[in-house]
Amino acid sequence: MDEDIAQKAIAKALGLGASYAEARLMEWEDSSLVMKNGLLEATGVDRGQGIGIRVLAAGNAGFAATNRLEEGNIARIVEEAVRAAKRASAKLGAGLRFSDEKPAKAKCKVKPKKDPRNVDFEQKVAALKAIDSAALEGKAGKSNVPARFMSYGDAIVRKHYENSEGATISSEMPLTEFWYSLTVVDGGESMQHHRSYAATAGFEAMAGWELEENARQQVASMLRTMREGVTPPRGPIDVVLSPELVGIAVHESCGHPHEADRILGREAAQAGESWLKKGMLGRKVGSVEASIVDDPTIAGSAGYFLYDDEGVKARRKTLMERGHVKGFLHNRETAAQLGTTSNASARASGYDKEPLVRMSNTFLLPGDRKSTEELFEGIALGIFINTFMEWNIDDRRWNQKYVGNEAYLIENGRLTRPVKKPALEITTEALWSGLDARTNSIELYAGSCGKGEPMQGIPVTMGGPHARFRNITLGK
Amino acid sequence: MSGKMTTIEELSELAELAVKALAKKGATDAVAHAQLGDSRQVKFANNKLASHSTWSSAGIGLFASFDRRIVSTTVREHTKGSVEKAAAILQKLARAVEPNGEFQGLAEGPFKKGREAHYDKSLEEPGDLGVEIVEKAVEAALEEGGKRTAGVFEFETGQEFLATSAGARLGSKSSGCYFSIRALADGEASGAQSICSRTLKALPIEEAARRAGELAAMANRRARLRARGIRRNMGAASARGNTGHSWKRGLCVLC
């Protein structure tokens, strides 16, 4: 990467009167496959580069990005970014500033064990075909799994970040992703399961995910649910959630509302706002068991990074501690607005996107129970939800619904029959206040978190331990 | 960094070259789509400017079928060498791909160019246009009862060139603009409007902003009435579901 480009762009912006400037150069090589019912539908390879420049001038923010790295073009768009920031009228002027941060200088690199660029395309296709075949094995015949979609993607991404305060950070990271959706039909009913996998790793990640076994298990589970499943009891009952369910609830009801740009209304027309308001630090919204963190420093995870896209050093953030709101996710803009410092939560999905406040790896901390059986003990009638089919949540992240896919009745402390589509429909406070026990280990599940306009999908994980929630009334 | 700026003519030549290079490598169908353009976005929140963004992009998308073995890529280095390299990569990639029986090949000509789409030259060099438009829109929404506004005004211009192995050749210019606003009143009451058009003249931004403000005010009145009714009947207040959405000539993007 020609780092001079970044330096020249910053110098140009400062020369035009910007009080602050930063540049993010990116270069990537990637490949992707999409398979539908065993047939490769699309394949692609790509390599590219681009630069994003952000400036502050006259208290307003300007952003410019291009993949046309000609000097004349970069000068042109930098001029426009500075001019646009300066010309914001008296009425629209935002008076923006960034929090003070120590400029970092660092180089980070994650070396994949199996560099995806050196893996034959045939091998990638074969991996997908094996998963597709596994979904059709066992009791399920082709007619039982009529729709099987899967996609695979890998990338090597190099970034170079610089700002006018002296920060200089270069990184090179691999990313491998896989996603599937399986629709199973039986006796006039249908069920669908989808799951994402992603890691800051090379092609070796695919083997570690045990995808064939998972596909086989999910199909078998859906068939069993359709054939033997019972209607869920309405409650109030006790509910045990798997790490996958805990993860989606953590991400949606706790992670998103702790994003300070949502709290401050900056994303009101796009991602939405938050049930949290800026004066709510310390408010009790859950039981003492509810401690939730966001941690980008977990090596190998999909949400891994050591410096965020504003050059701030990554760290673990506690969002909820023993049921109390502990802290928000900040970038430098929101931190300055709320009189604090950034906690390195600024992420951009590409060189051409402005960094927004984002999650990384968000999870409920583990508890002290040694097994899920310990959580089931003492439950006369309850439900265990292992995977989900769908979910939705309002724009402030207060009212939400998660519909189970693989779920079982708990009767007298033991799992018995499968349950059809239990719907956990609840408010954020009621959910986290009902939490009374957690197992002592966690699992993280990958996802692509969407936010912004233009939409920015970024790799994250979400999860936690198995967790028990008391006296929950299930929805329809 | 080089000082020279890429032009659509240069990209078009490379697109032609790509179709030939792919045919030479054995592609039975090939498409090259060159594009060059600028787009801009004025994002606002809390009645203030949140950011002003400018994007400038260029690329040549390649699609090829080698006896129904379908592959694609994008060429972002605009040189003859990069195009030839991309064709060679696609040929190699196709060997790993199974034929897709659902692909029936490219449409064959003769092709007739349709009516030119509306093009708005004023969006090429917008000057202060974006900020001025947003300022007026925010005022309009507030006048109708919104207390806070947030949204985006986006506009773009671009040039494209398409070449296919079936003989299609098409060059075109395009422009577009999009405005989305959410006006928020008290509590959870809000109104949203989204509109889009090829030209700025056909985009009723102020009207949309007024309507968003009006919807927010209506939702707010409804919430207050509903809360009073519920308190009378049930002794508890709830203000769920007080969001007004409406859209014209476009999709409502409020989630």
Side-chain angles (χ1 to χ4, degrees):
Chain A
M1 266 195 293
D2 183 359
E3 295 171 7
D4 280 356
I5 297 175
Q7 285 153 15
K8 283 183 182 172
I10 290 170
K12 175 85 182 166
L14 296 178
L16 290 166
S19 56
Y20 169 86
E22 65 183 17
R24 273 183 298 118
L25 262 175
M26 269 180 77
E27 202 174 75
W28 66 92
E29 293 170 72
D30 65 40
S31 76
S32 59
L33 304 173
V34 176
M35 188 173 276
K36 178 182 163 192
N37 292 342
L39 185 71
L40 206 55
E41 280 258 303
T43 58
V45 288
D46 194 12
R47 59 183 302 160
Q49 55 182 346
I51 187 170
I53 301 128
R54 193 166 61 149
V55 301
L56 279 184
N60 295 302
F63 177 74
T66 187
N67 67 348
R68 300 166 60 191
L69 301 184
E70 306 107 3
E71 193 165 355
N73 187 52
I74 292 175
R76 179 179 71 94
I77 62 166
V78 169
E79 276 172 26
E80 183 161 333
V82 176
R83 203 175 59 230
K86 281 184 177 175
R87 78 185 170 216
S89 65
K91 284 183 186 168
L92 287 185
L96 290 184
R97 62 182 187 85
F98 287 166
S99 60
D100 293 332
E101 307 292 340
K102 189 180 167 195
K105 291 189 188 298
K107 287 189 177 179
C108 332
K109 183 171 180 174
V110 173
K111 201 174 172 197
K113 284 182 187 148
K114 275 192 188 176
D115 190 323
R117 294 169 298 186
N118 301 331
V119 176
D120 287 340
F121 229 73
E122 286 88 342
Q123 202 179 331
K124 296 174 186 175
V125 175
L128 264 63
K129 283 206 161 277
I131 300 159
D132 187 75
S133 299
L136 294 173
E137 281 171 13
K139 288 178 186 174
K142 255 189 188 168
S143 58
N144 289 119
V145 198
R148 308 178 305 282
F149 289 93
M150 51 192 75
S151 66
Y152 163 88
D154 59 52
I156 301 289
V157 180
R158 285 180 288 278
K159 283 191 204 178
H160 176 74
Y161 172 89
E162 284 199 37
N163 69 24
S164 56
E165 295 165 346
T168 313
I169 295 146
S170 299
S171 66
E172 182 176 320
M173 304 272 183
L175 180 69
T176 298
E177 298 174 296
F178 176 79
W179 173 86
Y180 72 64
S181 167
L182 300 169
T183 304
V184 179
V185 174
D186 189 77
E189 285 186 72
S190 69
M191 288 180 76
Q192 192 174 65
H193 183 252
H194 56 87
R195 188 179 273 168
S196 297
Y197 298 82
T200 301
F203 192 69
E204 70 275 8
M206 287 286 281
W209 291 330
E210 299 177 334
L211 296 166
E212 293 167 47
E213 184 53 29
N214 279 335
R216 217 176 272 127
Q217 271 181 12
Q218 289 309 319
V219 169
S221 148
M222 286 188 276
L223 275 174
R224 187 178 168 212
T225 299
M226 284 186 284
R227 288 170 184 170
E228 303 170 24
V230 296
T231 304
R234 296 299 303 279
I237 56 167
D238 297 335
V239 175
V240 175
L241 299 182
S242 71
E244 188 171 342
L245 264 294
V246 166
I248 190 74
V250 160
H251 179 92
E252 300 294 354
S253 73
C254 181
H256 276 305
H258 277 73
E259 293 164 347
D261 54 353
R262 297 179 74 119
I263 295 168
L264 293 168
R266 191 182 189 273
E267 299 301 311
Q270 287 87 27
E273 297 196 308
S274 172
W275 55 265
L276 275 167
K277 304 296 166 213
K278 55 188 176 186
M280 286 169 74
L281 282 174
R283 178 181 157 172
K284 189 174 186 303
V285 286
S287 73
V288 293
E289 294 285 318
S291 292
I292 294 169
V293 300
D294 182 86
D295 189 351
T297 66
I298 299 171
S301 64
Y304 176 70
F305 57 87
L306 291 180
Y307 290 86
D308 76 354
D309 284 320
E310 291 180 335
V312 180
K313 193 170 169 48
R315 69 207 68 175
R316 176 181 277 207
K317 286 91 62 174
T318 301
L319 308 182
M320 199 186 288
E321 190 173 65
R322 294 175 62 80
H324 292 82
V325 177
K326 177 73 177 172
F328 304 147
L329 295 169
H330 281 297
N331 62 7
R332 294 186 65 183
E333 181 184 330
T334 62
Q337 278 184 267
L338 293 183
T340 183
T341 52
S342 167
N343 50 23
S345 302
R347 298 180 73 187
S349 66
Y351 73 89
D352 56 343
K353 307 290 189 309
E354 60 166 351
L356 299 174
V357 178
R358 309 303 300 263
M359 281 175 266
S360 58
N361 304 298
T362 317
F363 51 96
L364 177 68
L365 291 176
D368 58 0
R369 305 302 172 97
K370 293 188 181 74
S371 66
T372 47
E373 285 69 28
E374 274 194 47
L375 299 182
F376 300 150
E377 274 172 20
I379 297 179
L381 178 65
I383 282 185
F384 168 56
I385 309 179
N386 194 34
T387 65
F388 62 88
M389 188 149 42
E390 59 175 282
W391 80 99
N392 55 61
I393 187 159
D394 70 29
D395 96 296
R396 291 188 176 183
R397 312 283 155 159
W398 188 252
N399 300 290
Q400 60 227 270
K401 181 177 182 177
Y402 309 96
V403 179
N405 185 316
E406 182 184 6
Y408 302 92
L409 273 185
I410 304 167
E411 292 176 296
N412 300 318
R414 294 182 56 209
L415 291 185
T416 56
R417 294 164 289 175
V419 178
K420 284 183 179 175
K421 300 174 188 174
L424 185 59
E425 192 170 5
I426 196 161
T427 65
T428 292
E429 188 168 22
L431 176 71
W432 296 112
S433 297
L435 175 63
D436 89 322
R438 296 162 287 156
T439 54
N440 59 4
S441 65
I442 67 162
E443 292 170 25
L444 298 177
Y445 287 82
S448 178
C449 176
K451 187 176 178 183
E453 188 172 329
M455 175 55 72
Q456 297 192 47
I458 53 155
V460 296
T461 68
M462 56 203 99
H466 284 80
R468 184 174 64 203
F469 298 82
R470 296 289 194 186
N471 296 316
I472 304 292
T473 301
L474 296 178
K476 286 182 185 172
Chain B
M1 282 201 284
S2 77
K4 194 173 160 293
M5 302 267 281
T6 309
T7 64
I8 191 67
E9 288 75 23
E10 288 167 346
L11 294 180
S12 304
E13 275 177 34
L14 291 173
E16 292 276 14
L17 176 73
V19 171
K20 283 181 194 155
L22 284 164
K24 213 168 160 182
K25 295 283 180 194
T28 40
D29 290 290
V31 179
H33 177 220
Q35 71 81 26
L36 181 72
D38 286 344
S39 56
R40 295 168 178 90
Q41 182 195 69
V42 183
K43 176 171 175 168
F44 58 101
N46 295 319
N47 309 330
K48 300 285 183 193
L49 180 77
S51 66
H52 184 294
S53 301
T54 303
W55 293 277
S56 165
S57 66
I60 306 170
L62 301 183
F63 167 92
S65 163
F66 292 76
D67 293 321
R68 296 187 175 178
R69 295 165 198 270
I70 294 167
V71 287
S72 66
T73 190
T74 303
V75 178
R76 291 190 175 88
E77 279 175 41
H78 309 127
T79 62
K80 199 176 159 189
S82 297
V83 166
E84 281 166 353
K85 193 175 167 191
I89 289 171
L90 289 184
Q91 181 194 31
K92 190 180 166 201
L93 193 61
R95 290 191 196 122
V97 174
E98 286 181 351
N100 183 338
E102 291 175 12
F103 179 65
Q104 297 301 312
L106 295 178
E108 290 175 1
F111 299 101
K112 191 180 161 193
K113 192 175 176 183
R115 192 166 59 89
E116 248 338 308
H118 294 293
Y119 183 77
D120 190 340
K121 199 168 166 41
S122 73
L123 298 175
E124 283 180 10
E125 297 290 340
D128 290 349
L129 184 76
V131 173
E132 284 168 10
I133 282 175
V134 166
E135 187 180 305
K136 282 182 189 159
V138 168
E139 275 175 18
L142 297 182
E143 278 170 17
E144 297 300 326
K147 299 256 173 79
R148 287 189 294 133
T149 60
V152 289
F153 173 50
E154 296 172 357
F155 50 101
E156 62 185 13
T157 57
Q159 292 171 278
E160 292 172 87
F161 178 77
L162 180 84
T164 77
S165 56
R169 295 290 181 275
L170 179 70
S172 72
K173 285 174 98 174
S174 63
S175 63
C177 39
Y178 166 77
F179 176 74
S180 171
I181 186 168
R182 184 180 184 195
L184 299 101
D186 287 335
E188 294 184 351
S190 69
Q193 288 271 291
S194 291
I195 50 175
C196 58
S197 169
R198 286 274 188 185
T199 63
L200 190 57
K201 203 175 156 187
L203 198 71
I205 293 175
E206 195 174 324
E207 188 188 321
R210 285 198 184 284
R211 183 66 180 144
E214 195 179 74
L215 286 169
M218 284 164 62
N220 198 27
R221 282 195 293 276
R222 181 176 164 237
R224 284 203 304 265
L225 288 170
R226 193 170 167 209
R228 277 206 295 271
I230 289 172
R231 268 198 295 273
R232 231 182 0 254
N233 298 329
M234 300 169 65
S238 166
R240 280 181 63 188
N242 292 306
T243 303
H245 305 257
S246 174
W247 58 89
K248 286 176 186 172
R249 291 182 233 170
L251 289 173
C252 177
V253 295
L254 185 68
C255 306

